Each structure stands twice: as structure tokens, then as C-alpha cells.
Amino acid sequence: MNARTAALRNGLARGWIEFKQTWTNLDDVIGQLVFVTLFLGTLFFMRNATLPGTSFSLGAATVPSVLGAGIVFQGLTGAAGYLAVDREDGTLLRAKATPNGMLGYLLGKTTALSLAQLTGLIAVLIPCLFVFSALAPDGVWSYLHLLGVLLVGMIATMPIGAALGSLTSSPRSIGLITLPIMGLGAISGIFYPITALPVWVQDIAQVFPMYWLGLGMRSALLPDSAVVVEIGQSWRPLPTLAVLVAWAVIGLALAPVLLRRMARREAGSSLAERREKAMQRVG
């Protein structure tokens, strides 16, 4: 076994361990339960509402939209947050000093974040399948379609998140990433059809992956009757794939360059300087 293969194996093992730790840590488990509870509570109050011009449940239509938004949010802020925290506590510096350490580190974080996204999606989806019988009308095909959208969505968002994380100076800077993403959620048709918004707002939303990932999720989980409230009354599968692949290409092109740049700048002196600034803020 060569050093590169060993780094890949260690990265996968590290990712699995970090993922398991999130389900043995009480704070993380409570955070997951609170999110699921709040989401299901929101759907409960939407249970009697319908999509405009149809008899289809607005609550059922919201489920895939929120799943898509969650993948984008976790992919961007999760990857950026990991990098920012590990950069400040010296984890990245230690990985840099190990042969193929950055490769193993990045694979481990990708594994942990991907598993977290998958389990988060399952934790929300399973209760909703019992509440809304209209979801996944095509059975196995619906779930395969959902899995395909999920994989493309993760590839489209996690590299961008890593690129953004490499540009942050501290974990406190993650708020600068979180706020715009929340703004995108407000205009991307998550809780209400995007066609109810002004056309210029729709055009802005369609530039970013959140709208398209939500649309892809809706096309996988909703019946064809729900398509009447979409732009052009179509699921637009080819544009969805094209936009998500375009963002994936952008992320995969930018992330390695920015991560290498960040790794080159990591040194003991810069770590000590960040710790000193953190101690001054605490004091």
C-alpha cells in the first residue's frame, strides 16, 4: 500500500468516526431533533393550505423544497465551517505536516459531511412520507431520482463551500456566508411557489443552485399535477442538471486552487497569531 492509498483509507475512516461522533454527542443529537421538530411543526400549520390554483397540499410541496435548501445550506456552510474551525485550532497545520495529510483531511471532511446530509434528509423525509401520502408517487423510481439529485447537489455545493471556507479568516466569519444563503432561501421558492415573486427576483434565484436543487427534489417527490406552479409549468430536468453541473465545475475548479493557497499560508506563526487574537477577544 502506498502513502496516497493509506491517506485515502485514513480519510474515509476519519470521516466515519467524525460522523459517528455527531450521533453520540448529546448537543448534536438535540440539534437534529429540534430541526426536525420545528420543520414538522411548520408543515402541521400548512396542512390545510394548497398550492395556488390547485388542490395539492402546500405542506407536501414544501417538503422537497426544504430538503433541497438543506442540502445547499449544509454543503456551503458545513464545508466552510469545518475549514474555518480546523484552521483556527491547528488541525489544518497538522494535516499539512503529514504526508498526503491534506488529501486524507479533505476526504474525511467530505465523508462526514456527506453522511450528515444523507441522514438529515432521511430524518426529515421518513416522517413526512407518513404524513403526506402524495409524496414519492412513483415508488422506487422516485427514490432513485431523489438520490441522483442529491448526489449532483452535493457535488455542486460542497466544493463551493470549501472554497468559501478557505477565504475566511475565522469561524466568526461564517456569518458572512450564512446570511446571503438565508436570503437566497427567501427568494428560491422554498416555502411558497417562486412564480408568486416578481420576474426579476425569479431571474436572480435561478442563477444559484438552491432554486434548482429544490426544483429537482420536487420533480422527484411530487406528482406531475404539482408542476403547474413552476416556471413554464415544467420540471425542466435538463436545465436543472446543466446549472448544478455548472456550479460543480466552478467549485471543483476553484476549491483546489484556493485550498492549496490556504495550505501554503498555514504556519505555526500564523496559528499563534490567531490564537493570540482569540484570547484578546475572550479577555
Short mmCIF file of all heavy atoms in Angstrom, two decimals, residues 153-189:
data_model
loop_
_atom_site.label_atom_id
_atom_site.label_comp_id
_atom_site.label_asym_id
_atom_site.label_seq_id
_atom_site.Cartn_x
_atom_site.Cartn_y
_atom_site.Cartn_z
N GLY A 153 -26.38 17.50 -6.31
CA GLY A 153 -26.46 18.68 -5.46
C GLY A 153 -25.28 18.79 -4.50
O GLY A 153 -24.74 19.89 -4.28
N MET A 154 -24.87 17.67 -3.92
CA MET A 154 -23.73 17.70 -3.01
C MET A 154 -22.44 18.08 -3.75
O MET A 154 -21.61 18.84 -3.25
CB MET A 154 -23.58 16.36 -2.30
CG MET A 154 -24.66 16.09 -1.26
SD MET A 154 -24.29 14.71 -0.15
CE MET A 154 -24.33 13.33 -1.30
N ILE A 155 -22.28 17.53 -4.97
CA ILE A 155 -21.09 17.86 -5.75
C ILE A 155 -21.11 19.33 -6.17
O ILE A 155 -20.06 19.97 -6.30
CB ILE A 155 -21.01 16.95 -7.00
CG1 ILE A 155 -20.85 15.49 -6.57
CG2 ILE A 155 -19.85 17.35 -7.89
CD1 ILE A 155 -20.95 14.50 -7.72
N ALA A 156 -22.30 19.88 -6.34
CA ALA A 156 -22.42 21.27 -6.77
C ALA A 156 -22.20 22.25 -5.63
O ALA A 156 -21.88 23.43 -5.88
CB ALA A 156 -23.80 21.51 -7.38
N THR A 157 -22.36 21.82 -4.38
CA THR A 157 -22.31 22.76 -3.26
C THR A 157 -21.09 22.61 -2.37
O THR A 157 -20.52 23.61 -1.93
CB THR A 157 -23.57 22.64 -2.40
OG1 THR A 157 -23.74 21.27 -1.99
CG2 THR A 157 -24.80 23.07 -3.18
N MET A 158 -20.66 21.38 -2.08
CA MET A 158 -19.56 21.21 -1.13
C MET A 158 -18.25 21.83 -1.60
O MET A 158 -17.54 22.46 -0.81
CB MET A 158 -19.38 19.74 -0.77
CG MET A 158 -20.38 19.26 0.27
SD MET A 158 -19.96 17.67 1.02
CE MET A 158 -20.37 16.57 -0.34
N PRO A 159 -17.86 21.69 -2.89
CA PRO A 159 -16.63 22.37 -3.31
C PRO A 159 -16.71 23.88 -3.18
O PRO A 159 -15.72 24.54 -2.81
CB PRO A 159 -16.48 21.93 -4.78
CG PRO A 159 -17.20 20.64 -4.87
CD PRO A 159 -18.38 20.79 -3.96
N ILE A 160 -17.88 24.45 -3.49
CA ILE A 160 -18.05 25.90 -3.32
C ILE A 160 -17.92 26.26 -1.84
O ILE A 160 -17.29 27.27 -1.48
CB ILE A 160 -19.43 26.35 -3.85
CG1 ILE A 160 -19.49 26.17 -5.37
CG2 ILE A 160 -19.71 27.80 -3.47
CD1 ILE A 160 -18.61 27.11 -6.14
N GLY A 161 -18.50 25.44 -0.95
CA GLY A 161 -18.37 25.68 0.48
C GLY A 161 -16.93 25.62 0.93
O GLY A 161 -16.48 26.44 1.74
N ALA A 162 -16.17 24.65 0.41
CA ALA A 162 -14.75 24.55 0.75
C ALA A 162 -13.99 25.77 0.26
O ALA A 162 -13.11 26.30 0.96
CB ALA A 162 -14.17 23.27 0.15
N ALA A 163 -14.32 26.23 -0.94
CA ALA A 163 -13.65 27.42 -1.48
C ALA A 163 -13.95 28.65 -0.62
O ALA A 163 -13.05 29.44 -0.31
CB ALA A 163 -14.11 27.66 -2.92
N LEU A 164 -15.21 28.80 -0.20
CA LEU A 164 -15.56 29.93 0.66
C LEU A 164 -14.88 29.82 2.02
O LEU A 164 -14.41 30.81 2.58
CB LEU A 164 -17.08 29.99 0.84
CG LEU A 164 -17.90 30.33 -0.41
CD1 LEU A 164 -19.39 30.20 -0.13
CD2 LEU A 164 -17.57 31.74 -0.89
N GLY A 165 -14.81 28.58 2.56
CA GLY A 165 -14.16 28.38 3.84
C GLY A 165 -12.68 28.71 3.80
O GLY A 165 -12.11 29.20 4.79
N SER A 166 -12.04 28.47 2.66
CA SER A 166 -10.61 28.77 2.55
C SER A 166 -10.34 30.27 2.55
O SER A 166 -9.21 30.71 2.78
CB SER A 166 -10.04 28.14 1.28
OG SER A 166 -10.56 28.78 0.13
N LEU A 167 -11.38 31.07 2.27
CA LEU A 167 -11.23 32.52 2.23
C LEU A 167 -11.52 33.18 3.57
O LEU A 167 -11.22 34.37 3.75
CB LEU A 167 -12.16 33.12 1.17
CG LEU A 167 -11.89 32.68 -0.28
CD1 LEU A 167 -12.97 33.25 -1.20
CD2 LEU A 167 -10.51 33.12 -0.75
N THR A 168 -12.13 32.44 4.51
CA THR A 168 -12.49 33.03 5.80
C THR A 168 -11.29 33.05 6.72
O THR A 168 -10.43 32.17 6.67
CB THR A 168 -13.63 32.24 6.46
OG1 THR A 168 -13.23 30.87 6.63
CG2 THR A 168 -14.88 32.29 5.62
N SER A 169 -11.24 34.04 7.57
CA SER A 169 -10.11 34.18 8.49
C SER A 169 -10.38 33.53 9.84
O SER A 169 -9.44 33.25 10.59
CB SER A 169 -9.79 35.67 8.69
OG SER A 169 -10.93 36.37 9.18
N SER A 170 -11.66 33.30 10.18
CA SER A 170 -12.00 32.70 11.47
C SER A 170 -13.41 32.16 11.41
O SER A 170 -14.19 32.52 10.51
CB SER A 170 -11.90 33.76 12.58
OG SER A 170 -12.97 34.69 12.48
N PRO A 171 -13.80 31.29 12.38
CA PRO A 171 -15.17 30.77 12.40
C PRO A 171 -16.22 31.87 12.51
O PRO A 171 -17.36 31.69 12.09
CB PRO A 171 -15.18 29.87 13.64
CG PRO A 171 -13.76 29.47 13.84
CD PRO A 171 -12.95 30.65 13.41
N ARG A 172 -15.85 33.00 13.09
CA ARG A 172 -16.82 34.09 13.24
C ARG A 172 -17.19 34.71 11.89
O ARG A 172 -18.19 35.41 11.78
CB ARG A 172 -16.23 35.17 14.17
CG ARG A 172 -16.17 34.72 15.63
CD ARG A 172 -15.22 35.57 16.45
NE ARG A 172 -13.84 35.35 16.03
CZ ARG A 172 -13.11 34.30 16.40
NH1 ARG A 172 -13.62 33.38 17.19
NH2 ARG A 172 -11.86 34.17 15.99
N SER A 173 -16.37 34.45 10.88
CA SER A 173 -16.66 34.99 9.54
C SER A 173 -17.72 34.18 8.81
O SER A 173 -18.19 34.61 7.75
CB SER A 173 -15.38 35.02 8.71
OG SER A 173 -14.36 35.76 9.34
N ILE A 174 -18.09 33.01 9.34
CA ILE A 174 -19.07 32.16 8.66
C ILE A 174 -20.42 32.86 8.55
O ILE A 174 -21.20 32.60 7.63
CB ILE A 174 -19.22 30.82 9.40
CG1 ILE A 174 -17.88 30.08 9.40
CG2 ILE A 174 -20.28 29.94 8.76
CD1 ILE A 174 -17.33 29.78 8.02
N GLY A 175 -20.70 33.78 9.48
CA GLY A 175 -21.95 34.53 9.41
C GLY A 175 -22.08 35.32 8.11
O GLY A 175 -23.19 35.53 7.61
N LEU A 176 -20.95 35.73 7.54
CA LEU A 176 -20.98 36.46 6.27
C LEU A 176 -21.40 35.56 5.12
O LEU A 176 -21.84 36.04 4.07
CB LEU A 176 -19.59 37.04 5.99
CG LEU A 176 -19.05 38.05 7.02
CD1 LEU A 176 -17.64 38.47 6.67
CD2 LEU A 176 -19.98 39.26 7.11
N ILE A 177 -21.25 34.24 5.30
CA ILE A 177 -21.70 33.28 4.30
C ILE A 177 -23.15 32.88 4.57
O ILE A 177 -23.95 32.72 3.65
CB ILE A 177 -20.80 32.04 4.32
CG1 ILE A 177 -19.35 32.43 4.01
CG2 ILE A 177 -21.29 30.98 3.33
CD1 ILE A 177 -18.37 31.29 4.16
N THR A 178 -23.48 32.72 5.85
CA THR A 178 -24.81 32.24 6.24
C THR A 178 -25.92 33.21 5.84
O THR A 178 -26.96 32.79 5.32
CB THR A 178 -24.86 31.99 7.75
OG1 THR A 178 -23.83 31.05 8.10
CG2 THR A 178 -26.21 31.43 8.17
N LEU A 179 -25.71 34.49 6.06
CA LEU A 179 -26.78 35.47 5.81
C LEU A 179 -27.20 35.52 4.34
O LEU A 179 -28.40 35.48 4.03
CB LEU A 179 -26.34 36.85 6.29
CG LEU A 179 -26.27 37.02 7.82
CD1 LEU A 179 -25.74 38.41 8.17
CD2 LEU A 179 -27.64 36.80 8.44
N PRO A 180 -26.25 35.57 3.37
CA PRO A 180 -26.69 35.54 1.97
C PRO A 180 -27.41 34.26 1.59
O PRO A 180 -28.35 34.28 0.77
CB PRO A 180 -25.37 35.68 1.19
CG PRO A 180 -24.43 36.33 2.14
CD PRO A 180 -24.81 35.82 3.49
N ILE A 181 -26.99 33.13 2.18
CA ILE A 181 -27.66 31.86 1.87
C ILE A 181 -29.10 31.89 2.38
O ILE A 181 -30.02 31.42 1.71
CB ILE A 181 -26.89 30.69 2.49
CG1 ILE A 181 -25.52 30.57 1.84
CG2 ILE A 181 -27.66 29.38 2.31
CD1 ILE A 181 -24.63 29.53 2.48
N MET A 182 -29.31 32.45 3.57
CA MET A 182 -30.67 32.58 4.08
C MET A 182 -31.50 33.50 3.18
O MET A 182 -32.69 33.27 2.96
CB MET A 182 -30.63 33.11 5.51
CG MET A 182 -29.98 32.15 6.50
SD MET A 182 -29.86 32.81 8.18
CE MET A 182 -31.59 32.95 8.61
N GLY A 183 -30.87 34.54 2.66
CA GLY A 183 -31.56 35.42 1.72
C GLY A 183 -31.96 34.69 0.45
O GLY A 183 -33.07 34.89 -0.07
N LEU A 184 -31.08 33.82 -0.04
CA LEU A 184 -31.42 33.02 -1.22
C LEU A 184 -32.60 32.10 -0.94
O LEU A 184 -33.45 31.88 -1.80
CB LEU A 184 -30.21 32.19 -1.65
CG LEU A 184 -29.11 32.92 -2.43
CD1 LEU A 184 -27.97 31.97 -2.73
CD2 LEU A 184 -29.67 33.50 -3.72
N GLY A 185 -32.64 31.56 0.29
CA GLY A 185 -33.76 30.69 0.65
C GLY A 185 -35.08 31.43 0.57
O GLY A 185 -36.12 30.84 0.22
N ALA A 186 -35.07 32.73 0.86
CA ALA A 186 -36.30 33.51 0.85
C ALA A 186 -36.82 33.75 -0.56
O ALA A 186 -38.02 33.99 -0.75
CB ALA A 186 -36.08 34.85 1.55
N ILE A 187 -35.94 33.70 -1.57
CA ILE A 187 -36.37 34.01 -2.94
C ILE A 187 -36.33 32.78 -3.86
O ILE A 187 -36.57 32.92 -5.06
CB ILE A 187 -35.50 35.12 -3.56
CG1 ILE A 187 -34.06 34.65 -3.74
CG2 ILE A 187 -35.57 36.38 -2.71
CD1 ILE A 187 -33.20 35.63 -4.52
N SER A 188 -36.05 31.60 -3.32
CA SER A 188 -35.85 30.41 -4.16
C SER A 188 -37.05 29.47 -4.20
O SER A 188 -36.92 28.32 -4.60
CB SER A 188 -34.61 29.65 -3.69
OG SER A 188 -33.45 30.42 -3.89
N GLY A 189 -38.21 29.94 -3.75
CA GLY A 189 -39.40 29.11 -3.83
C GLY A 189 -39.42 27.96 -2.84
O GLY A 189 -39.93 26.89 -3.16
#
